[in-house]
Amino acid sequence: MGRLMCCGALKTVALNQVVKKYGFDGLIVGVRQDEEGSRSKERIFSERDQKDKWDYTNQPPELWDEFKTDFPKGHHIRVHPLLHWTELDIWEYIQRENVPIIDLYFAKNHRRYRSLGCAPCTGSVPSDAKNVSEIIAELKGTNVSERAGRAQDKEDAYAMQKLRQAGYM
């Protein structure tokens, strides 16, 4: 099974089933525009149709903090409050607020995870950052993508856009 098919089954289909089962009108999601190219097409309030599809070609403008929040019955929205944050913003917030995090983000044997997902798709990246301060310093000096360790991004350049269009987070 290819990565795109695997992620579709484990993440997209499962999420869509939960939305339908519980009749959610909206989901609060922690994605950021800088994580991956297709996420840059998102809006703070992002509509999904009755079949959980995302029309990335028809996104309303969100100018001057004016948001479209009225959607047709049967549709749901994904609310992305962190959309304009960066990876560095997240780590600086974690440091400032002393947010506890799992140790997978800290280097062991000169490798750490910058982005976590399912086991088959998530890989580590070279790093010696063993605490939040070192991660922040590392991020200020790197040009390596946060998702450099993600297998599905290597398999298909448009994998995330295809998944998101079908309802993936």
Side-chain angles (χ1 to χ4, degrees):
M1 177 185 301
R3 302 276 189 225
L4 192 58
M5 189 178 244
C6 178
C7 289
L10 295 178
K11 298 175 184 177
T12 307
V13 172
L15 177 63
N16 293 344
Q17 288 173 346
V18 168
V19 168
K20 290 278 187 274
K21 179 177 179 178
Y22 295 101
F24 292 131
D25 292 325
L27 302 171
I28 297 174
V29 183
V31 303
R32 302 182 331 272
Q33 286 179 338
D34 73 333
E35 284 180 275
E36 189 274 329
S38 70
R39 290 179 174 167
S40 67
K41 299 173 185 173
E42 283 287 6
R43 298 295 185 259
I44 301 290
F45 291 89
S46 184
E47 180 179 8
R48 299 306 192 268
D49 70 17
Q50 291 174 319
K51 295 181 180 177
D52 303 307
K53 303 294 185 224
W54 174 52
D55 183 0
Y56 62 87
T57 65
N58 186 26
Q59 296 293 296
E62 292 183 336
L63 307 171
W64 307 288
D65 294 329
E66 297 290 326
F67 307 109
K68 177 183 177 190
T69 58
D70 185 27
F71 297 98
K73 187 89 172 131
H75 291 208
H76 75 275
I77 59 170
R78 308 275 172 97
V79 182
H80 303 107
L82 304 178
L83 196 62
H84 300 301
W85 287 38
T86 65
E87 182 183 11
L88 182 58
D89 292 334
I90 297 293
W91 284 104
E92 289 174 338
Y93 179 85
I94 288 168
Q95 182 178 52
R96 184 178 64 246
E97 300 301 324
N98 199 27
V99 176
I101 60 168
I102 62 171
D103 67 352
L104 290 171
Y105 288 109
F106 302 129
K108 294 179 190 99
N109 301 318
H110 308 288
R111 298 195 69 81
R112 72 177 189 90
Y113 293 92
R114 286 180 61 194
S115 176
L116 299 176
C118 63
C121 290
T122 302
S124 61
V125 296
S127 174
D128 288 316
K130 292 185 172 65
N131 59 50
V132 175
S133 294
E134 291 177 7
I135 289 172
I136 290 170
E138 179 181 270
L139 290 176
K140 287 181 177 180
T142 189
N143 60 0
V144 175
S145 162
E146 176 181 3
R147 294 180 58 89
R150 289 296 188 103
Q152 73 262 38
D153 294 353
K154 293 177 177 88
E155 183 174 305
D156 183 334
Y158 296 100
M160 282 296 290
Q161 182 166 306
K162 291 174 185 174
L163 290 167
R164 294 182 66 69
Q165 188 177 9
Y168 179 81
M169 279 290 181

